[in-house]
Amino acid sequence: MENAADGSRRSPSLRLLCPKKSILSSPLPSLLWLVGSPRFLQPVTVAAALRCLRFLSDDGPFSPDLPHEADEIRGLLVRGFDIVGGLFVGSANFESDASRPLELAGELRQRLFGERASHGMVGGCVDASTGDIRFLVSESEGSEVVEGQEVLWGDEPGRSLLEKGCLLRCELQLQLPLYLPSDETMSGIEARFSSLIESTAANLRGPHVSYLVEGPTATFDESHHSVILHGNNLNSVSQLPINTNTNKCSAKIVSCSEFLPTKRHDLSSIRENADAIQITVLSNQSLNISKAGSTVPMLKYFPAPAPASLRVIDLKLDILCYSSMDLPVAVAVSELVIPGLADQLSIMKKAIVSELLTQQPQLCPYHFVPPGLLIPLTAIYDTRYGEIEEKQSELRRNLHFRLGLPLDRPLLRTSNALTFGAMEMRDRSSSKSSSLLRDVHKEIPSSGVSGGIMSLIDGSYEYYHYLHDGIDDNGWGCAYRSLQTIMSWYRLQQYSSINVPSHREIQQVLVEIGDKDPSFIGSREWIGAIELSFVLDKLLGASCKIINVRSGDELPEKCRELAIHFETQGTPVMIGGGVLAYTLLGVDYNEASGDCAFLILDPHYTGGDDLKKIVNGGWCAWKKSVDSKGRSFFLKDKFYNLLLPQRPNMV
């Protein structure tokens, strides 16, 4: 701990990158495991909080089932991140309960990594009555525990993680032969399988194994774009110096930064296009060839016990690691990648062992950075029966609980997993919607409603308007554009992975369900709220509510109902009346005075995607039913239909 100017020891500061609301929103009482990266981030830094789910007794958070917690968190936590503390939420004994979660976190970490923590640890509790948070910090195992002097909540925390660190990814397909004697007992079979997995993990550092390290994008300096590291040379690399001049150093000393583009991307883009150093495992089977240099293929015979049957165990390993940019890549492979592969082998062994004699699970790891979290996490799914299988849904639900994610949206489905590859290739092959403006309403002025309560769309959307995609739909396509904006909301909230449909594809759906004649395809006929509901139901399985209003003058009477919609569902609303259609993104409503305004996203805009022009031109703006000059925005002599898409309740 730092010394003050007078020679006394200062209480340590604590930096939290995870949002404060993610801690305070946990149910009462609960225990949170605090996650950081003490090797790569400044101590003591908390990057995420995981909820404890397994307990031994009715004491709840005071008696966690540490063996089960360790088993589940081992597969979830990316190597490079570590348990750095624990926190009680809803403590009744605010003064005495802060040290207990620190002790529990130390025990959990020992189960995860086989040793006590040498880095600083933090414990704390949240007062059940006031919500106040108290933290205690220890510099290392056995050191003095003192109260944190300063708690710093991170500013742009996602950038902090990306500027200091990078991701490494390693995939490995394995086919392991398991010979089963006919008279073998189940315990004997399990022992054989365990021995097979352990020997496979040990061979990751063997003389026959090499690691090809490549960057995610091509660089001008091809000499440092890829290196090969040999497994038996990785046992003593932890003391390698930090790379300062890679042109004069061996491959082992090349730092991770040499493999990544200079331009880094923000957290939102990482969720869509993840940059990661790629690690490929190579097996050199000709290493022990004769000294004569013969290139004749060699065949080895391994007799199996007879009589015996052969089962081939197919495994697909896929791990992520988090490392500092200046760490030598050989150290990253030795101390992060290889232990990560061994951990995943052990996890898969436990999942497979009970089904060795039946149908083998098809285990597949996926990596996620769900909204609200800053660090990548890994989930291993059994893909035998698809995502709708009940056990799979229950697994995702438990993960949502552990990560503090909402239970009404599918944030951890396979379609939401991180994708990896060259940014340039992804940009060329990305969907047409990737170039559209998002969330344009965030730049507009206030509504002008005095004392109103604002209720807005929950989540992101893309702005579709006339003349997009080279389609001249001026005068007839406003409802199509509103539907496309609504579809983009479902896609960006990860309820769907299908592309936003074109006008022709929308028309095709309406013909397929029998709502329109075949001549409708390719026409310029208008559609309304009813047709939009049919398309949403067909393509997404999303239900809709429809509100009928006899006149534009009556729309303010629906503000309370619309406010409830935005607060509970949060989806964009389509307003159709006469020959016009708009997208509604929110309402500002003063219940006492009746004053209200509607946040309108206008699809009739025909210009380019210039945010300033769109905002200044009022194409996304607050509109009152009657403005200060007495002009009505909604038509008095036209009826209106309001389409309220519903948020699916699923994980």
Side-chain angles (χ1 to χ4, degrees):
M1 298 177 189
E2 298 180 4
N3 292 329
D6 60 1
S8 62
R9 305 184 79 191
R10 291 181 55 192
S11 297
S13 62
L14 175 67
R15 187 166 181 238
L16 285 95
L17 303 182
C18 54
K20 189 174 184 178
K21 65 179 181 180
S22 69
I23 292 176
L24 297 180
S25 62
S26 299
L28 304 178
S30 59
L31 172 62
L32 300 179
W33 304 119
L34 304 180
V35 178
S37 183
R39 181 171 181 176
F40 304 127
L41 301 177
Q42 64 186 54
V44 175
T45 300
V46 176
L50 308 179
R51 189 177 301 165
C52 179
L53 298 183
R54 309 299 176 192
F55 303 100
L56 293 172
S57 69
D58 294 336
D59 290 340
F62 291 94
S63 58
D65 185 344
L66 293 179
H68 280 87
E69 282 291 292
D71 284 345
E72 293 185 11
I73 292 176
R74 182 177 290 107
L76 192 64
L77 207 57
V78 165
R79 276 277 174 168
F81 289 102
D82 202 341
I83 297 296
V84 297
L87 180 73
F88 279 146
V89 180
S91 171
N93 300 302
F94 187 53
E95 295 300 321
S96 61
D97 286 347
S99 60
R100 177 60 176 156
L102 190 151
E103 297 171 4
L104 292 172
E107 295 175 20
L108 175 66
R109 193 208 175 276
Q110 185 173 16
R111 289 183 177 274
L112 284 170
F113 299 104
E115 59 185 7
R116 302 293 290 184
S118 60
H119 54 73
M121 298 284 286
V122 59
C125 59
V126 180
D127 191 296
S129 57
T130 65
D132 293 335
I133 306 177
R134 179 188 179 189
F135 290 105
L136 299 178
V137 179
S138 68
E139 253 190 339
S140 61
E141 177 66 22
S143 66
E144 180 185 4
V145 178
V146 297
E147 189 158 359
Q149 180 186 49
E150 185 178 16
V151 178
L152 304 173
W153 296 93
D155 182 27
E156 296 189 63
R159 178 176 296 180
S160 300
L161 289 170
L162 291 174
E163 286 178 349
K164 294 181 179 295
C166 61
L167 297 177
L168 298 92
R169 185 191 185 204
C170 182
E171 296 177 276
L172 177 58
Q173 296 269 6
L174 293 172
Q175 288 187 317
L176 305 180
L178 179 63
Y179 290 97
L180 304 176
S182 58
D183 58 349
E184 189 75 273
T185 64
M186 190 60 200
S187 60
I189 292 173
E190 292 177 0
R192 284 179 177 273
F193 182 52
S194 295
S195 177
L196 178 63
I197 294 296
E198 290 167 7
S199 64
T200 302
N203 287 337
L204 293 172
R205 295 186 186 273
H208 290 278
V209 176
S210 297
Y211 296 87
L212 172 63
V213 184
E214 300 175 287
T217 57
T219 65
F220 293 109
D221 189 357
E222 291 297 329
S223 63
H224 296 124
H225 180 59
S226 63
V227 298
I228 292 180
L229 304 168
H230 301 288
N232 58 340
N233 294 331
L234 292 174
N235 294 320
S236 57
V237 297
S238 60
Q239 302 303 317
L240 284 176
I242 297 300
N243 175 33
T244 57
N245 186 354
T246 57
N247 292 323
K248 298 180 180 179
C249 295
S250 69
K252 289 196 297 185
I253 307 180
V254 176
S255 70
C256 292
S257 61
E258 294 293 317
F259 297 87
L260 291 165
T262 303
K263 182 181 179 182
R264 307 305 304 281
H265 305 278
D266 61 24
L267 193 65
S268 61
S269 66
I270 287 296
R271 292 191 177 103
E272 298 175 6
N273 306 290
D275 277 344
I277 298 172
Q278 300 293 324
I279 315 292
T280 304
V281 184
L282 306 175
S283 178
N284 181 5
Q285 296 300 322
S286 60
L287 183 65
N288 293 327
I289 202 164
S290 67
K291 293 182 179 180
S294 171
T295 57
V296 177
M298 300 177 64
L299 178 66
K300 294 183 179 181
Y301 171 63
F302 300 95
S309 61
L310 171 67
R311 289 190 66 87
V312 177
I313 309 299
D314 291 305
L315 297 178
K316 178 184 178 182
L317 307 185
D318 187 343
I319 66 159
L320 275 188
C321 302
Y322 176 77
S323 168
S324 67
M325 296 289 289
D326 55 7
L327 188 72
V329 70
V331 178
V333 171
S334 177
E335 300 185 6
L336 299 174
V337 173
I338 293 177
L341 291 171
D343 274 349
Q344 200 163 92
L345 274 171
S346 176
I347 292 164
M348 290 188 174
K349 179 191 73 174
K350 291 182 179 180
I352 293 172
V353 68
S354 63
E355 299 188 64
L356 277 174
L357 301 180
T358 57
Q359 183 181 9
Q360 180 185 333
Q362 297 175 11
L363 302 178
C364 188
Y366 295 92
H367 311 295
F368 300 91
V369 184
L373 268 76
L374 303 174
I375 68 172
L377 298 161
T378 301
I380 300 177
Y381 294 153
D382 183 352
T383 60
R384 279 180 292 181
Y385 309 113
E387 291 189 325
I388 62 174
E389 198 267 332
E390 186 174 347
K391 288 184 179 179
Q392 202 85 310
S393 298
E394 186 61 27
L395 172 59
R396 286 199 303 272
R397 186 172 296 276
N398 285 336
L399 288 173
H400 276 242
F401 274 121
R402 187 176 291 283
L403 303 177
L405 300 175
L407 297 176
D408 62 350
R409 60 198 70 184
L411 301 177
L412 298 177
R413 292 201 170 200
T414 58
S415 60
N416 307 326
L418 294 180
T419 54
F420 300 86
M423 292 293 294
E424 291 82 5
M425 292 179 61
R426 288 190 57 81
D427 288 343
R428 288 195 294 268
S429 62
S430 60
S431 64
K432 293 178 286 186
S433 64
S434 62
S435 63
L436 302 180
L437 291 176
R438 292 187 185 180
D439 307 333
V440 295
H441 71 283
K442 293 183 178 179
E443 303 295 328
I444 66 176
S446 61
S447 68
V449 174
S450 177
I453 296 177
M454 200 175 293
S455 303
L456 299 176
I457 184 176
D458 177 22
S460 292
Y461 61 90
E462 292 167 328
Y463 181 25
Y464 283 83
H465 55 79
Y466 280 169
L467 306 187
H468 254 310
D469 308 327
I471 296 177
D472 183 3
D473 55 348
N474 194 350
W476 61 274
C478 51
Y480 292 87
R481 297 302 185 179
S482 181
L483 174 59
Q484 289 176 327
T485 293
I486 293 171
M487 290 283 294
S488 76
W489 182 92
Y490 280 94
R491 182 178 172 86
L492 291 174
Q493 269 52 248
Q494 308 187 35
Y495 286 108
S496 170
S497 59
I498 68 171
N499 290 331
V500 173
S502 65
H503 294 56
R504 189 177 186 88
E505 289 168 337
I506 293 169
Q507 293 172 340
Q508 181 72 41
V509 169
L510 293 172
V511 170
E512 288 177 357
I513 65 174
D515 181 67
K516 303 292 184 184
D517 294 328
S519 60
F520 179 65
I521 298 176
S523 71
R524 295 193 168 195
E525 292 185 32
W526 299 329
I527 58 175
I530 302 298
E531 287 88 350
L532 265 65
S533 70
F534 292 160
V535 175
L536 289 171
D537 178 60
K538 174 67 174 179
L539 294 182
L540 303 180
S543 61
C544 300
K545 291 182 179 179
I546 295 180
I547 299 176
N548 304 115
V549 182
R550 291 175 296 180
S551 165
D553 282 345
E554 296 182 8
L555 272 169
E557 300 175 10
K558 303 300 180 182
C559 268
R560 181 183 291 105
E561 193 170 349
L562 289 169
I564 293 173
H565 167 81
F566 286 114
E567 290 164 5
T568 58
Q569 302 299 319
T571 63
V573 171
M574 180 270 202
I575 298 179
V579 297
L580 299 175
Y582 302 99
T583 306
L584 179 65
L585 303 177
V587 294
D588 197 351
Y589 179 52
N590 185 323
E591 190 169 356
S593 66
D595 192 16
C596 64
F598 300 83
L599 182 53
I600 298 292
L601 183 67
D602 196 336
H604 303 92
Y605 174 64
T606 57
D609 284 345
D610 183 331
L611 182 59
K612 185 176 181 180
K613 184 177 179 181
I614 291 168
V615 172
N616 292 341
W619 297 102
C620 182
W622 287 101
K623 305 287 186 180
K624 291 197 172 185
S625 181
V626 179
D627 65 17
S628 58
K629 297 181 180 180
R631 295 174 298 191
S632 298
F633 180 76
F634 301 110
L635 303 177
K636 298 180 179 180
D637 59 345
K638 300 292 183 181
F639 71 90
Y640 285 82
N641 287 327
L642 280 66
L643 181 81
L644 282 61
Q646 302 298 291
R647 182 190 292 272
N649 187 4
M650 63 174 70
V651 294

